[in-house]
């Protein structure tokens, strides 16, 4: 199929706001990036003064709408299969494949990507990104223009799969469930036709959010007359993060697995593997039937083992990704629901 999406009113006309992302100036002499000859040469092109140092770890960025946005289009391929074998009553499984190719994707580029592409990107495209970095007369960064724009596009493919097994026994009804997804590709194309400007997000943190290739939920629910209980396991796969959110071409682990090594033309870059995280949730319930209807009492524990979220050093909020991980730790809840 094909898809078409026009920019929203917010994307076109929202006002400009300021943000201060975690980002160091690559042209600062105390920044390891400056040791890269390409970075040093491009800083010199921009008029970097000798001995320039900027210790700031946050830079100002402008976000907002863009009246010149064009619509985005997409080509989509999906295929799926459902299996319900007659010889295994209560079992069903689904597999869904998707491939999506978006052109003129409407989004922000990302400050890290702008800086990385400006100072380490290919010769044919770096100036496009450098034009978004505005410096003061004393050379420090004034702001980075990261308003919503049309980038080259986004290409992704993956597989979603699920299985359920509903079992009836003398000791109640059991429902086992499994839901997972595998992301084989998630490429942000910043400039059409420039392969070096593509950022691979699958299995990396380079796009500033946790994007493991594999994650799933595994659950078991039991119900017997008035009683019920359930246990769910949430698995968030591991991925890799690198210095300045730039793992491109610098992702060879060193002897200790923590220090990336580079070839002869690129300096070494720090990188680390973020481990997978498993959390468990538990609930129990009791249903009471009365003349007024059915009352259900539920008590549960989220994050039963008080598992810590993954540490992401590039994660600005709580040194992790709150959108993907449970940052509250273990907590309890109770619920009473009434049906008439």
């Amino acid at each position: 199929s094909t898809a078409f999406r026009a920019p929203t009113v917010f994307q076109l006309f929202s006002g400009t706001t300021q943000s201060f992302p975690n980002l160091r100036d690559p042209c600062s002499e105390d920044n390891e990036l400056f040791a890269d000859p390409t970075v040093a040469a491009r800083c010199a092109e921009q008029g970097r003064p000798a001995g320039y140092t900027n210790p700031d770890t946050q830079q100002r960025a402008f976000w907002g709408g863009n009246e010149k946005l064009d619509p985005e289009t997409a080509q989509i391929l999906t295929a799926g299969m459902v299996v319900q074998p007659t010889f295994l009553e209560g079992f069903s499984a689904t597999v869904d494949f998707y491939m999506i190719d978006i052109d003129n994707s409407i989004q922000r580029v990302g400050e890290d990507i702008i800086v990385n592409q400006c100072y380490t990107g290919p010769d044919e495209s770096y100036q496009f990104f450098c034009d978004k970095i505005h410096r003061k007369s004393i050379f420090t960064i004034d702001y980075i223009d990261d308003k919503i724009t049309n980038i080259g596009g986004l290409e992704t493919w993956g597989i979603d799969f699920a299985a359920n097994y509903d079992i009836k026994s003398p000791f109640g009804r059991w429902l086992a469930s499994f839901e997972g997804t595998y992301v084989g590709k998630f490429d942000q194309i910043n400039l059409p036709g420039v392969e070096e400007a593509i950022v691979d997000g699958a299995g990396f943190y380079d796009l500033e959010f946790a994007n493991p290739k594999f994650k799933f939920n595994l659950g078991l629910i039991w119900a017997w007359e008035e009683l019920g209980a359930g246990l769910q396991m949430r698995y968030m796969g591991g991925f890799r993060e690198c210095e300045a959110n730039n793992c491109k071409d610098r992702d060879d682990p060193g002897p200790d697995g923590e220090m990336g090594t580079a070839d002869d033309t690129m300096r070494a870059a720090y990188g680390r593997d973020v481990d997978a995280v498993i959390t468990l949730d538990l609930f129990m319930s009791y249903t009471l039937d009365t003349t007024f209807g059915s009352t259900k009492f539920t008590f549960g524990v989220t994050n039963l083992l008080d598992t810590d979220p993954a540490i992401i050093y590039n994660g600005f909020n709580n040194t992790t990704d709150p959108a993907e991980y449970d940052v509250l730790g273990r907590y309890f809840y109770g619920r009473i629901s009434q049906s008439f």
Side-chain angles (χ1 to χ4, degrees), residues 262-329:
D263 59 26
D264 293 339
T265 62
M266 304 187 73
R267 64 174 185 82
Y270 288 97
R272 60 184 289 267
D273 292 324
V274 179
D275 294 333
V277 173
I278 296 176
T279 55
L280 297 176
D281 303 328
L282 175 69
F283 79 87
M284 294 173 287
S285 66
Y286 178 79
T287 302
L288 178 64
D289 293 325
T290 67
T291 55
F292 300 102
S294 177
T295 306
K296 186 175 183 179
F297 302 88
T298 304
F299 173 78
V301 185
T302 299
N303 195 354
L304 178 66
L305 302 180
D306 199 22
T307 304
D308 292 331
I311 295 177
I312 304 173
Y313 293 120
N314 290 332
F316 183 71
N317 192 344
N318 295 328
T319 322
T320 188
D321 185 354
E324 294 290 347
Y325 296 100
D326 178 9
V327 297
L328 295 179

Side-chain angles (χ1 to χ4, degrees), residues 150-167:
N150 291 105
I151 66 169
L154 180 69
E155 294 181 356
T156 182
W157 71 263
I159 302 173
D160 296 330
F161 36 87
N164 294 280
Y165 193 16
D166 191 347
I167 306 171

Side-chain angles (χ1 to χ4, degrees), residues 46 58 103 126 130 159 172 191 211 291:
Q46 297 174 1
Q58 291 178 257
D103 295 319
Y126 79 92
C130 287
I159 302 173
L191 283 177
N211 193 13
T291 55

